């Protein structure tokens, strides 16, 4: 099979799912997200906490990547990264970001727009110490987004760290590694339906309250 045999224009999926309406919607977006997140996890979808984070430079050049959501509450959505990585640098100069949870197997997605800011070092340290030992070492071994000569070089760095901090010994938190919290100003819940008549309900922050609006699919 060649790439000419795969025509994306002919790829169609007919969605059949429950209606999403204003009457059953939670009062705030984090409550609705918590409900959908629980349902998504119960469906055994692979990594339901995977989300696409899109950032942009100060002059508007965008970039996107998939990361894992690690915390959420009424304050927003938290993920962890190297602050010196591309996304970390872009957020430092332009805090406006978007998140996308692409739950395709259950015909749902959640999109978020808002601003990102670093969480406290105590919160970062608490999460870092909960990570597997190998992941802690990996945070030190990888200068995220920087060019590296080879895979062998990355493995060498990791091996040196594993010797310095053997299993059972506390690994210090890297100074340039930590959490970012995205505080939402709008959160859209998308529910797929047949004939492309999808439900799209968006919470928009107005002062300290949330307004819900319905969008055409």
């Amino acid at each position: 099979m060649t790439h000419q045999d795969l025509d994306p224009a002919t790829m169609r999926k007919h969605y059949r799912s429950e209606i999403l309406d204003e009457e059953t919607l939670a009062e705030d977006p984090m409550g609705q997200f918590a409900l959908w997140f629980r349902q998504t996890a119960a469906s055994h979808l692979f990594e339901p906490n995977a989300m696409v984070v899109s950032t942009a430079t100060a002059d508007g050049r965008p970039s996107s990547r998939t990361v894992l959501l690690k915390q959420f509450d009424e304050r927003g959505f938290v993920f962890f990264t190297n602050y010196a990585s591309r996304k970390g640098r872009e957020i430092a100069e332009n805090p406006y970001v978007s998140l996308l949870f692409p739950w395709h197997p259950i015909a749902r997605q959640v999109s978020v727009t808002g601003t990102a800011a670093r969480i406290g070092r105590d919160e970062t340290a608490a999460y870092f110490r909960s990570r597997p030992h190998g992941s802690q070492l990996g945070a030190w071994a990888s200068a995220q987004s920087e060019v590296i000569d080879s895979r062998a070089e990355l493995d060498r760095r990791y091996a040196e760290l594993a010797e310095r901090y053997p299993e059972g010994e506390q690994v210090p938190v890297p100074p340039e590694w930590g959490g970012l919290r995205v505080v939402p100003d709008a959160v859209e819940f998308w529910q797929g339906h047949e004939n492309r008549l999808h439900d799209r309900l968006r919470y928009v922050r107005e002062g300290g309250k949330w307004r819900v609006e319905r969008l055409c699919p």
Side-chain angles (χ1 to χ4, degrees):
M1 180 179 290
T2 67
H3 69 278
Q4 289 89 352
D5 299 316
L6 293 173
D7 182 2
T10 65
M11 296 177 180
R12 293 181 176 87
K13 177 71 175 177
H14 296 287
Y15 306 121
R16 290 179 174 82
S17 50
E18 63 188 75
I19 295 293
L20 177 65
D21 59 36
E22 292 82 347
E23 287 70 30
T24 58
L25 208 63
E27 292 185 1
D28 62 79
M30 302 312 292
Q32 184 64 32
F33 181 83
L35 172 64
W36 271 24
F37 189 70
R38 284 195 299 269
Q39 293 174 348
T40 303
S43 73
H44 304 292
L45 186 69
F46 180 70
E47 291 196 324
N49 59 329
M51 61 182 184
V52 178
V53 178
S54 296
T55 58
T57 59
D59 59 354
R61 291 180 175 269
S63 63
S64 299
R65 74 288 294 160
T66 301
V67 305
L68 297 178
L69 174 72
K70 288 300 180 181
Q71 300 170 10
F72 71 92
D73 56 25
E74 68 280 356
R75 296 173 295 172
F77 305 85
V78 175
F79 64 96
F80 292 82
T81 190
N82 187 316
Y83 293 141
S85 66
R86 179 175 180 176
K87 59 184 170 298
R89 295 194 306 269
E90 290 182 357
I91 287 171
E93 61 184 45
N94 179 358
Y96 296 104
V97 305
S98 70
L99 310 176
L100 175 66
F101 294 86
W103 298 328
H104 303 308
I106 58 173
R108 285 179 174 177
Q109 66 179 13
V110 179
S111 55
V112 179
T113 57
T115 54
R118 297 184 183 187
I119 67 173
R121 291 305 290 175
D122 54 340
E123 291 181 85
T124 285
Y127 171 70
F128 184 80
R129 294 190 181 109
S130 75
R131 303 180 88 204
H133 182 73
S135 297
Q136 294 181 20
L137 298 179
W140 279 98
S142 173
Q144 197 174 72
S145 300
E146 288 189 8
V147 175
I148 191 168
D149 290 337
S150 66
R151 172 73 196 203
E153 171 62 17
L154 187 62
D155 291 339
R156 183 191 63 77
R157 293 181 188 177
Y158 183 89
E160 288 179 353
L161 287 159
E163 185 175 355
R164 187 185 311 169
Y165 302 108
E167 188 77 44
E169 185 168 331
Q170 182 169 297
V171 181
V173 183
E176 283 301 308
W177 188 94
L180 288 161
R181 175 175 288 109
V182 177
V183 179
D185 53 48
V187 184
E188 180 187 322
F189 293 84
W190 181 99
Q191 176 71 73
H193 290 292
E194 61 185 358
N195 301 318
R196 297 300 187 258
L197 298 179
H198 314 307
D199 285 320
R200 296 177 61 190
L201 295 182
R202 180 170 63 188
Y203 292 83
V204 179
R205 190 191 296 273
E206 292 185 340
K209 298 182 179 180
W210 291 98
R211 172 174 55 84
V212 176
E213 55 192 15
R214 178 175 285 272
L215 306 177
C216 284

